[in-house]
Every structure is written in C-alpha cells, then in structure tokens.
C-alpha cells in the first residue's frame, strides 16, 4: 500500500493522526508527516483515516500486483 497526502490541501485537522497514529504524525500544530508505505496490517486504520479527512487530502494507492495477491 502506498499513501500520498496532498500537503497543500491538508489543513491540520489531525483526524488521521487520531485514527492511525503509527502512520500519521503531527509535528507542531500543523506540520503533518507520514509513512508513505505503511504495512498492510495498517490498511484498515489508514482507510478510516483517509475517510475521516475533512478535506480528502489522503489518497491510498495499491502497489503493482497487490490486487492479485502477488508480491514484488
């Protein structure tokens, strides 16, 4: 799984941090950092965090072969 956060769109509401604190972190009051390739074990947390983003700044991409269960 690969995630991308549009940091220009992100407003620092930090809903993602509350729902997936091992993937998303808030440095200071508004500087969001994140793990771009989290473990698949975190998929549900990341999907919930993306859905909770008020400005829809989080995009989740599948890596090649992921849909078929293949590994690179």
């Amino acid at each position: 799984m690969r995630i991308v956060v549009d940091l220009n769109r992100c407003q620092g509401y930090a809903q993602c941090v509350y729902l997936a604190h091992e993937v998303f972190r808030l440095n200071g009051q508004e500087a969001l950092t994140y793990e771009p390739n989290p473990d698949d074990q975190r998929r549900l947390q990341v999907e919930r965090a993306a859905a909770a983003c008020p400005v829809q700044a989080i995009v989740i991409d599948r890596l090649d072969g992921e849909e078929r269960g293949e590994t690179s």
Side-chain angles (χ1 to χ4, degrees):
M1 162 177 47
R2 177 177 49 215
I3 59 174
V4 177
V5 178
D6 183 342
L7 296 175
N8 291 318
R9 180 177 249 182
C10 176
Q11 297 294 307
Y13 291 108
Q15 297 303 307
C16 58
V17 177
Y18 298 121
L19 294 167
H21 64 273
E22 293 159 347
V23 177
F24 302 95
R25 291 166 295 286
L26 202 57
N27 294 324
Q29 291 185 357
E30 296 181 7
L32 181 73
T33 60
Y34 63 98
E35 170 60 45
N37 296 102
D39 294 334
D40 279 337
Q41 296 171 350
R42 308 250 182 264
R43 179 176 292 281
L44 184 58
Q45 291 175 330
V46 171
E47 287 175 347
R48 287 179 177 168
C53 180
V55 296
Q56 300 299 294
I58 303 168
V59 176
I60 302 170
D61 286 333
R62 290 195 160 111
L63 297 176
D64 292 343
E66 194 172 303
E67 288 185 59
R68 294 180 298 252
E70 299 172 4
T71 56
S72 301

